[in-house]
Amino acid sequence: MFTSSSFFKHVDDSLPQYVSELGEAVAIPSVSADLPRYLPDIIEMMEWTKAYVERLGGWVHLLPNPKGKDDNGHELPPILLAEFKTAENAEQKKTVCCYAHLDVQPAAKEDGWDSDPFTLTEKDDKFYGRGSTDDKGPALSWLWVIEAHRKLNVDLPVNIKLMFEGMEESGSEGMFEAIQILSKEGKFLNDVDFFCISDNYWLGTNKPCLTYGLRGLSYFSVSVQCCEQDLHSGIFGGNVHESMTDLVHLMSSLVDSSGKILIPGIMDDVLAVTPEEEALYDDIDFDCEAYKKENKVTTVSNKMLYENKKDLLMARWRYPSLSLHGIEGAFAGPGAMTVIPAKVVGKFSLRLVPDQDAQRIEKQVTEHLKKVFKHLGSPNKMEVTMLHGAKAWLSDPKHPNFAAASRAIEKVYGGLPDYTREGGSIPITTAFEEATKMNVCLLPIGACDDMAHSQNEKYNKRNLINGVKVLGLYLHELGNLKGPKPSDCRCVELTEEELMEPGAFLRGFKCKCVM
């Protein structure tokens, strides 16, 4: 019989083992940004995890990457699929699929690390190493939860499927194709009832959260060309229509210094804040002054666009934003170079919110820039391109999947989590939900200061231990949910009007089934 006390004690007692195994995983430099060099390491990390699953008695398969090779002709790593079924009545039990990634960002000590990034180093109850928190620690936590049940001789409360990839840090190449294939009838994902992803972070350092929304992305380039080659400003300055002058005018027409987007129509599809949504922000644990310090603003301007918690978080999460990223082709080195660039390319992006359509955004941005350019009266060549995009994602924090996670957090930490959204994008979330129609819960277990993607990435000892406990109890809370398996429902989705009825979303997932 499962008891939280015996499970918690096992996790506490197993910390030395967890640290040792996390160290083994961190030592494998599975950097996906440089496939020619690191593909063998990514595959080694996959094989290491496969062997771990086999030791636990699970079914495991390394699925050849459906895309085969990347755009440069380099072989792509496989995708790990694993499954652990309950010992009794597996067909009647619900199934959760846990996603994680085993690849990491590049890292080198000379980049500013205090220690070797591929040697797990403990200091002040923190474990430093590339991938410690993003995402090897959370990925291994699922295996540690399963191992705990084996050692305690307790059956799993739900069927567990794992889908671990090796290209997340480089666009998840092949994953989206795999999800589409594996969601078909009789395939690996077709009987999944819930998805859980632990690949984001708490809003702060002390209070856990659940994430129910992500902004989307539309990334653009706008180029202006005035001639075939760079020119000397001492000879041609004052004679030619300079490309940089045009581009600066174009980019300054997109957003003002207060963050207001200047493109007509961009805000038309942004829904108004409801009283219920606004109330979610009231109790969120967030310190605006600490936020300024974390982002190194205090010693420069000491001012954010918004000074109160609610406005700042809404601007970060639930409203669109436009950021200017850089200019390609312009002189950017040290010293002074008197060149007139022949062609310059400005890079900018919009973070989108639900109900904003990327194709409509592309049309609005293009029309705006063409209108501004026409007004300049320049004879130069201008071109606008949307390079890539990702849909926004918004779930219902009252869904049973989130409720199960919330109860698990409350039992481990002694209080309810904050319900948060994020300003960034995790496209895999939308891919799972759209392909399977099942709910995805983002259940972060790392802290906001873990420095993922940066120097001195770390994973707190407290987060490691409690993260395993939360994920374990989450599985049992899912197992306690009454009603049929959501994946058994293949009925027609509810209409928008039906979804507005109180409690409609809880009758399964956008359908008329009863949970």
Side-chain angles (χ1 to χ4, degrees):
M1 178 180 176
F2 178 85
T3 63
S4 57
S5 58
S6 60
F7 174 62
F8 287 0
K9 183 179 186 304
H10 173 85
V11 172
D12 292 335
D13 293 343
S14 299
L15 178 62
Q17 172 201 331
Y18 297 162
V19 174
S20 175
E21 291 174 349
L22 181 58
E24 291 180 33
V26 166
I28 302 172
S30 48
V31 178
S32 58
D34 188 353
L35 283 180
R37 180 178 178 184
Y38 291 108
L39 178 62
D41 298 291
I42 300 174
I43 293 175
E44 180 185 354
M45 188 66 231
M46 290 285 181
E47 293 285 357
W48 186 94
T49 310
K50 177 176 179 286
Y52 204 126
V53 172
E54 290 171 338
R55 288 199 302 274
L56 296 179
W59 172 88
V60 63
H61 172 61
L62 293 183
L63 176 74
N65 194 297
K67 195 174 177 182
K69 297 182 179 180
D70 66 10
D71 294 338
N72 296 314
H74 302 130
E75 181 185 349
L76 291 167
I79 297 165
L80 184 141
L81 307 177
E83 183 174 17
F84 296 88
K85 290 186 177 182
T86 63
E88 296 183 3
N89 303 316
E91 297 303 317
Q92 284 74 48
K93 297 287 181 68
K94 294 180 175 66
T95 299
V96 61
C97 180
C98 311
Y99 163 86
H101 65 90
L102 300 174
D103 62 314
V104 298
Q105 285 280 321
K109 193 171 189 301
E110 53 268 27
D111 293 337
W113 283 71
D114 294 335
S115 56
D116 179 358
F118 295 105
T119 299
L120 192 69
T121 303
E122 182 176 0
K123 182 181 179 182
D124 300 327
D125 289 337
K126 299 176 176 65
F127 303 106
Y128 292 88
R130 177 57 88 219
S132 57
T133 190
D134 182 25
D135 187 33
K136 292 180 178 180
L140 290 182
S141 294
W142 293 112
L143 298 176
W144 293 332
V145 166
I146 295 165
E147 182 183 56
H149 282 75
R150 297 286 194 260
K151 290 187 174 180
L152 293 171
N153 198 29
V154 176
D155 193 16
L156 294 171
V158 291
N159 302 308
I160 302 172
K161 292 190 175 185
L162 306 177
M163 192 170 186
F164 292 176
E165 66 163 311
M167 285 297 293
E168 192 275 342
E169 302 290 9
S170 298
S172 291
E173 291 199 66
M175 267 296 290
F176 302 102
E177 292 86 347
I179 290 171
Q180 289 297 320
I181 294 168
L182 297 175
S183 297
K184 297 184 184 300
E185 186 173 355
K187 299 295 184 179
F188 182 74
L189 296 176
N190 188 244
D191 64 345
V192 171
D193 303 296
F194 307 100
F195 287 88
C196 186
I197 299 176
S198 294
D199 189 25
N200 63 314
Y201 302 91
W202 294 353
L203 183 60
T205 59
N206 297 312
K207 189 177 181 183
C209 68
L210 293 172
T211 303
Y212 67 95
L214 300 165
R215 289 196 295 187
L217 175 71
S218 287
Y219 197 104
F220 289 88
S221 70
V222 53
S223 66
V224 180
Q225 183 173 3
C226 65
C227 53
E228 293 183 357
Q229 64 183 44
D230 293 350
L231 302 174
H232 191 306
S233 67
I235 300 173
F236 296 99
N239 295 161
V240 296
H241 294 269
E242 297 189 18
S243 56
M244 180 69 90
T245 305
D246 289 348
L247 183 63
V248 169
H249 276 289
L250 291 172
M251 295 189 75
S252 66
S253 77
L254 297 170
V255 62
D256 68 17
S257 59
S258 69
K260 180 182 178 182
I261 301 174
L262 303 176
I263 302 166
I266 288 293
M267 302 297 290
D268 289 354
D269 295 327
V270 179
L271 297 179
V273 180
T274 64
E276 184 180 19
E277 179 191 354
E278 187 172 4
L280 290 173
Y281 290 79
D282 290 338
D283 297 325
I284 289 178
D285 182 16
F286 182 80
D287 186 327
C288 291
E289 290 301 315
Y291 184 62
K292 283 195 289 188
K293 291 179 181 178
E294 289 168 9
N295 291 283
K296 312 298 182 184
V297 171
T298 308
T299 57
V300 184
S301 67
N302 196 32
K303 191 174 179 64
M304 307 295 288
L305 289 175
Y306 302 90
E307 295 299 322
N308 68 81
K309 176 182 74 173
K310 191 174 293 187
D311 289 342
L312 195 152
L313 290 178
M314 284 191 179
R316 175 178 165 182
W317 294 343
R318 69 97 57 214
Y319 287 114
S321 63
L322 191 152
S323 299
L324 307 178
H325 301 303
I327 297 177
E328 177 185 334
F331 172 63
M337 184 176 181
T338 57
V339 65
I340 298 172
K343 181 179 180 180
V344 284
V345 183
K347 305 290 181 67
F348 65 95
S349 70
L350 288 96
R351 292 290 177 171
L352 310 182
V353 296
D355 295 300
Q356 285 188 306
D357 177 70
Q359 290 185 328
R360 185 176 180 189
I361 294 294
E362 180 180 14
K363 184 173 183 290
Q364 290 169 329
V365 169
T366 302
E367 288 179 353
H368 169 75
L369 287 173
K370 285 182 176 179
K371 183 178 180 180
V372 173
F373 190 69
K374 182 178 180 181
H375 181 73
L376 293 177
S378 172
N380 293 330
K381 294 182 179 179
M382 189 272 287
E383 184 177 358
V384 183
T385 305
M386 189 170 85
L387 300 176
H388 60 263
K391 288 184 178 180
W393 169 76
L394 185 66
S395 190
D396 186 341
K398 295 179 181 178
H399 190 278
N401 195 14
F402 280 82
S406 177
R407 288 191 293 270
I409 288 172
E410 185 177 14
K411 290 177 179 178
V412 174
Y413 284 96
L416 293 172
D418 283 334
Y419 287 89
T420 67
R421 293 164 70 164
E422 289 215 358
S425 305
I426 306 178
I428 210 75
T429 306
T430 307
F432 279 129
E433 201 161 276
E434 289 188 343
T436 66
K437 309 302 180 188
M438 297 296 107
N439 181 264
V440 180
C441 176
L442 295 186
L443 174 50
I445 55 179
C448 74
D449 63 351
D450 279 353
M451 306 304 289
H453 291 208
S454 188
Q455 296 92 342
N456 300 315
E457 176 184 343
K458 56 85 177 169
Y459 197 23
N460 297 333
K461 180 187 292 187
R462 171 178 181 252
N463 290 79
L464 187 156
I465 294 171
N466 286 340
V468 178
K469 293 176 181 178
V470 166
L471 297 184
L473 292 194
Y474 162 70
L475 297 179
H476 283 269
E477 292 295 338
L478 286 181
N480 290 334
L481 294 177
K482 305 301 181 184
K485 288 167 54 68
S487 62
D488 286 343
C489 166
R490 299 299 172 200
C491 65
V492 178
E493 292 185 3
L494 293 177
T495 65
E496 291 297 324
E497 291 75 19
E498 289 172 324
L499 275 170
M500 296 302 292
E501 296 176 11
F505 199 85
L506 299 185
R507 293 201 293 269
F509 188 79
K510 296 185 179 179
C511 72
K512 299 178 182 179
C513 289
V514 178
M515 276 294 285

